[in-house]
Amino acid sequence: MPDDANMTLAEPADHEPVGDRPRGSRGLMLLWLPLVATLLLGIAFYSLLGWDSHLVQSPLIGRPVPQFSLPPVKGRPLGLSSADLRGDVSLVNVFASWCVACRAEHPLLMQLHQSGVVTLDGLNYKDAPDDAAKWLDTRGDPYTRTGADINGRVAIDWGVYGVPETYVVDPEGRIAFKQIGPITPEILDKTILPLVARLREQNRQHAR
């Protein structure tokens, strides 16, 4: 704290306090309260800045996907509905042409599609039909099915926080995992694909 600030807190013994400054220990406490409050607010603020949204757990984990039926993105043959998300493990990727982070994620989605290891469906969030079509025509279409959620109502039911997000759906149509933010190779290899394999094995065990 600057020296002149310290001077305001300590009065010479042979002088009376100046003006309306509070006296004694109670006065010192009142002088410090604004500073303490400011520090606490600052700590809370920076804690929020450091909050990792990837750690948010969806309340829908373990529950059936919301009931919905969406038409396909312009130029695609197949739309997307809750009925399509049953029978095998699948991924549902929430994307938009205006989403900057989706651009970083898209090449990995194309690789995933080409590998054929798991079905990848797309939920197109609040996008203009022509923009969504141009995005997929230009960058490549990694999705088996796409649902055009133009007004964002279906995404709300899914509990979408932002774009991109990706959900792992089990063979019974229940949400098993939610990834907030773009998928990275590490997340794909260490979390998503092992979960896909585990869910498929569990499904085989139950089918016996």
Side-chain angles (χ1 to χ4, degrees):
M1 182 176 293
D3 292 339
D4 55 352
N6 286 331
M7 291 172 62
T8 63
L9 299 180
E11 292 294 334
D14 56 348
H15 286 77
E16 290 294 326
V18 178
D20 296 325
R21 195 181 326 158
R23 302 182 182 184
S25 59
R26 182 172 178 273
L28 288 176
M29 181 181 67
L30 291 176
L31 286 171
W32 279 102
L33 278 178
L35 178 59
V36 172
T38 301
L39 288 173
L40 290 176
L41 287 174
I43 292 170
F45 177 74
Y46 283 106
S47 295
L48 287 175
L49 286 181
W51 173 62
D52 187 355
S53 61
H54 295 73
L55 299 179
V56 173
Q57 296 296 317
S58 170
L60 297 181
I61 298 297
R63 297 183 182 181
V65 300
Q67 293 295 310
F68 73 99
S69 181
L70 289 172
V73 169
K74 183 178 179 180
R76 311 302 120 179
L78 300 174
L80 183 65
S81 71
S82 50
D84 298 318
L85 303 176
R86 297 180 66 89
D88 193 8
V89 183
S90 61
L91 307 184
V92 176
N93 176 252
V94 184
F95 74 100
S97 65
W98 45 261
C99 166
V100 175
C102 296
R103 299 179 185 178
E105 178 185 62
H106 197 78
L108 188 60
L109 299 184
M110 290 299 296
Q111 294 176 22
L112 183 62
H113 169 70
Q114 292 165 5
S115 73
V117 68
V118 64
T119 298
L120 176 64
D121 296 315
L123 182 64
N124 185 228
Y125 178 65
K126 288 189 175 181
D127 224 345
D130 288 341
D131 292 342
K134 182 179 179 181
W135 167 275
L136 295 176
D137 290 340
T138 302
R139 298 179 180 273
D141 186 350
Y143 306 111
T144 300
R145 294 174 174 269
T146 57
D149 188 18
I150 295 176
N151 60 16
R153 294 296 298 273
V154 171
I156 291 175
D157 292 340
W158 277 75
V160 171
Y161 286 94
V163 186
E165 290 187 5
T166 302
Y167 296 79
V168 179
V169 181
D170 74 11
E172 298 299 319
R174 295 186 298 260
I175 297 174
F177 175 78
K178 175 180 180 177
Q179 165 65 25
I180 299 177
I183 296 175
T184 64
E186 182 178 12
I187 291 171
L188 184 63
D189 293 339
K190 293 186 177 181
T191 302
I192 293 178
L193 292 183
L195 177 58
V196 169
R198 187 161 64 251
L199 291 172
R200 282 177 172 163
E201 178 60 27
Q202 290 175 358
N203 189 53
R204 284 193 289 267
Q205 295 290 338
H206 292 159
R208 291 178 181 177

